[in-house]
Amino acid sequence: MMSEFLTIGEPIALFGSTEVDKSLKDAGNFQKFLAGAEVNVAVGVSRLGHSSEYITSVGKDPFGEFIIDQLHENKVGTDYIDQTEDYWTAFQLKDRVSQGDPSIFYFRKGSAAAHFDQQVLDKIDFSEVKMVHLSGIFPAISDEALAAFRYFVKLLEEKQIRTTFDPNLRPQLWASQEKMVATINELASHAEIILPGINEGEILMGSREPEAIADFYLANGEATQTVVVKLGTEGAYVKQKDGTSFTVPGFNVDEVVDTVGAGDGFAAGLITALIEGKSLKEAIIRANAVGALAVQSPGDNDGYPTPEELAAFLKENKVDDLA
């Protein structure tokens, strides 16, 4: 299948607790979801009406079958998914909290995606691809994944395809913080648009100041043209290579159910707007809107909107003609 959008990552079968403020040790009831930062973006892009393809490896096991079924249900292409009998599909547990971010426990070491065969990348049809989303999670899961990630970036550079990069820091997946910081910043230098959060900025370059974070990444690599610093409920700060900068405020929501997946929804909103030729400011407004909708649902990507739902949300919030 030819697609406008590609991403590479590790999909996960997520078991989310349905019992609020009960620890993972004590919770007894869980609901199964499709999860994984990059797959969330692929689902978000597809739900907003764009052809989307996901690159990964899963096991020939119930979780792998569940993930492929969920991708089909969300109209995400699976042509570049390698299914293997040699390794198992990752899964994770997540608690339900009334405030703050939920706790997560991974079962992913040695998974199928961690043994991803980069030869799959040579089969990709890039002819219709307009944008590719990259994340700092996939290169963290194994040396093989990091090598495949670097090879993928090389292919994208050769084909001059636009890229977004979300650091998506997962310290528990790296050998050390020093290795994480050095590798993430080196990989970020190859991306056109970088999407750090202020907490990530503090870890990766020592500041929570949005402009300082943006300046660091604009100087970090020649390829980088735009840095979008996510400010949580306050929206996003944007700075471009030519010095242009602006802040786009976020949206207020009545109830935050689950913060996981909000950043991935933000990326999906930004990417789809840019594919449609909208201005960067319009793209950030959409990104903020998708992120706001995401936090109102318990699954990592269940709250991502259709074009009609996005238009209704923007109208309700008195933002016209930007869906």
Side-chain angles (χ1 to χ4, degrees):
M1 183 178 91
M2 291 188 293
S3 293
E4 298 171 281
F5 172 78
L6 294 174
T7 189
I8 186 170
E10 176 168 47
I12 297 175
L14 162 66
F15 291 85
S17 171
T18 59
E19 300 171 64
V20 179
D21 293 330
K22 193 172 261 193
S23 71
L24 288 175
K25 175 177 71 72
D26 296 327
N29 297 295
F30 293 82
Q31 184 176 358
K32 187 168 61 173
F33 299 97
L34 170 67
E38 304 90 354
V39 80
N40 289 340
V41 180
V43 168
V45 168
S46 175
R47 207 164 284 168
L48 283 168
H50 293 274
S51 53
S52 175
E53 191 86 27
Y54 185 57
I55 307 161
T56 193
S57 180
V58 296
K60 286 188 176 177
D61 52 44
F63 293 160
E65 297 293 344
F66 166 74
I67 285 164
I68 289 173
D69 286 351
Q70 287 291 299
L71 290 170
H72 289 159
E73 193 172 305
N74 283 283
K75 298 182 172 60
V76 175
T78 58
D79 289 356
Y80 308 129
I81 294 184
D82 179 40
Q83 199 168 12
T84 175
E85 293 182 339
D86 296 331
Y87 306 104
W88 53 287
T89 307
F91 65 100
Q92 71 183 74
L93 304 177
K94 180 171 72 171
D95 67 7
R96 181 87 174 267
V97 292
S98 56
Q99 289 184 320
D101 295 334
S103 296
I104 292 171
F105 195 91
Y106 291 125
F107 298 84
R108 66 195 302 177
K109 189 174 180 64
S111 66
H115 292 90
F116 180 79
D117 182 355
Q118 71 179 42
Q119 291 182 28
V120 173
L121 302 174
D122 293 321
K123 302 173 185 175
I124 295 173
D125 183 349
F126 289 98
S127 57
E128 299 296 324
V129 177
K130 294 174 182 172
M131 292 197 74
V132 170
H133 180 68
L134 303 168
S135 154
I137 299 177
F138 185 65
I141 64 174
S142 68
D143 290 341
E144 295 105 307
L146 177 58
F149 188 94
R150 291 192 191 280
Y151 182 59
F152 190 41
V153 168
K154 181 170 168 286
L155 293 175
L156 298 173
E157 288 175 332
E158 287 171 359
K159 297 177 186 305
Q160 298 183 315
I161 294 173
R162 301 186 76 185
T163 53
T164 50
F165 179 81
D166 187 333
N168 259 326
L169 300 185
R170 300 291 188 273
Q172 62 269 50
L173 298 179
W174 293 93
S176 68
Q177 179 158 312
E178 291 75 18
K179 183 174 182 182
M180 177 179 74
V181 170
T183 307
I184 291 289
N185 286 339
E186 188 273 318
L187 296 175
S189 71
H190 297 276
E192 179 190 338
I193 302 169
I194 303 177
L195 309 171
I198 49 174
N199 293 336
E200 292 173 325
E202 185 172 21
I203 294 167
L204 291 168
M205 51 70 65
S207 176
R208 296 178 62 83
E209 172 57 44
E211 187 170 15
I213 297 169
D215 287 343
F216 174 86
Y217 283 106
L218 288 169
N220 187 48
E222 288 183 18
T224 304
Q225 301 300 311
T226 304
V227 180
V228 181
V229 183
K230 293 172 286 187
L231 310 175
T233 56
E234 294 179 27
Y237 170 82
V238 181
K239 191 166 185 179
Q240 296 176 273
K241 204 86 156 185
D242 64 6
T244 304
S245 65
F246 55 90
T247 299
V248 179
F251 294 92
N252 293 318
V253 299
D254 293 333
E255 182 186 13
V256 174
V257 175
D258 189 343
T259 57
V260 176
D264 304 323
F266 182 98
L270 176 80
I271 288 162
T272 52
L274 293 177
I275 287 174
E276 293 164 23
K278 296 189 181 294
S279 72
L280 183 58
K281 186 169 185 180
E282 290 171 329
I284 301 299
I285 291 170
R286 180 185 294 188
N288 283 336
V290 179
L293 285 161
V295 301
Q296 298 178 69
S297 294
D300 283 16
N301 51 57
D302 285 39
Y304 296 171
T306 62
E308 295 75 21
E309 289 165 344
L310 175 63
F313 179 83
L314 291 170
K315 184 177 181 182
E316 182 184 331
N317 284 274
K318 299 180 171 55
V319 180
D320 298 323
D321 303 323
L322 292 177

